Amino acid sequence: MASTAEIQSGLAEILEEVAGVAPADATPEKSFTEDLDVDSLSMVEIATAVEDKFGVAIPDDELGGIKTVGDAISFIEKNQ
Amino acid sequence: MSDTRIQLTTGAPGAAVLGIGAYRPRRRVTNDELSQTMDTSDEWIQSRVGIAERRWAEPDETVVEMSVAAGGKALAASGLAPEDVDLVVVASASLPTMIPGAGPEVAHRLGIRRPGSYDLNAGCAGFCYALGAAADAIRTGSATHALVVGAEKLTDVTDLTDRSTAVIFADGAGAMVLGPTEDPGVGPVVWGSDGDQRDAIAIPTGEGAKLTMAGQAVYRWATTRLTDTLQQAMDRAGVTAADIDVFAPHQANLRIIELMAKRLGLGEDTVIARDVVQAGNTSSASVPLALSALLESGEAKSGDLALLLGYGAGLTFAGQVVRLP
């Protein structure tokens, strides 16, 4: 199981690759859409990359509830 | 009970594409024009779906009229006479009537006499399904020459004030003429469906009912579940990604096209169809429209190997390798 720090840095890598977000900006309080300019289709790409990297499943109906980087980290922690 | 054995026919060793034709409606609709009537912008549309403009058919540009125009061009390109054709398949998801279908009328209008004819609805995968069925008909001897059309007037079934769909869906028609050959020009079709996602794209029937799409679900499915299909289409045709000269998937969304191309490991000089930028999503018309544009511009050449993929409502998918005429 990945630690919180590992999840945060892994997620930051995915965000950089999919949406060009600088790793230093990927802090827990940031909203994907409002602060990081990630659109709904990039969220799908992030979800599939998270699924591959952390072995979790993020169904489409759960994806809508993940608003911030912190939401994503706790989702992965709970479901990994 | 008669015990006479039923005899079967065999057709040609292979089918080949002999001609491609397309029809683009006259009216060009830019993102700026759409921004005047709904809360959207050129930047928003281009970044999400990669569409810069699309064609919207006017009242006289019906599915049948567009099919006749595209089919006539494909026939002319093939060098065949109408009477040589004995199978006409029209793929469409936006016909104004369920019955009668478009196929017999399109054939009649083109002077094709009494062909086998039917319509096929496999959503945006329709053209590649129809191409597979027609090529198989030539191989089994059920037909000698086939006209395959993909034609859509999606503006009839789209809420043109809904910014989530109106910016995406559009109109047009594309067609191919197939004939028998020794050297196969159409590879085996790889087709399938994921009916558990039947609700992801729908055009309900009834007055005023309009097209709906669960964009995120379809995007996820298209970018994760179809790479295997493309690989199988190449494997079954005995070619590798390095052999593919042209990649022409359904023109749904430029981001899906780019992701698929990246995951396939295509060669650097592979031409990638990006007709969605000018045509929007024309469902079952998109693959022949895209190929026609590449042949006209000279980016694709006669003899090139093209990898095709249709995918859409159902959810359905179909892909094959073809040699361009």
Side-chain angles (χ1 to χ4, degrees), chain A residues 17 37-45 47-48 51 58-60 63-64, chain B residues 47-49 197 215-221 223-224 253 255 259 262-263:
Chain A
E17 187 177 335
D37 204 22
V38 173
D39 68 29
S40 65
L41 300 183
S42 293
M43 278 306 290
V44 174
E45 287 170 48
T48 54
E51 289 180 342
I58 312 177
D60 288 320
L63 187 55
Chain B
S47 68
R48 264 58 169 199
V49 289
Q197 298 200 63
Q216 280 186 314
V218 176
Y219 188 83
R220 184 198 289 245
W221 174 78
T223 53
T224 57
N253 178 319
R255 287 166 64 170
L259 272 173
K262 191 168 136 193
R263 284 177 192 164

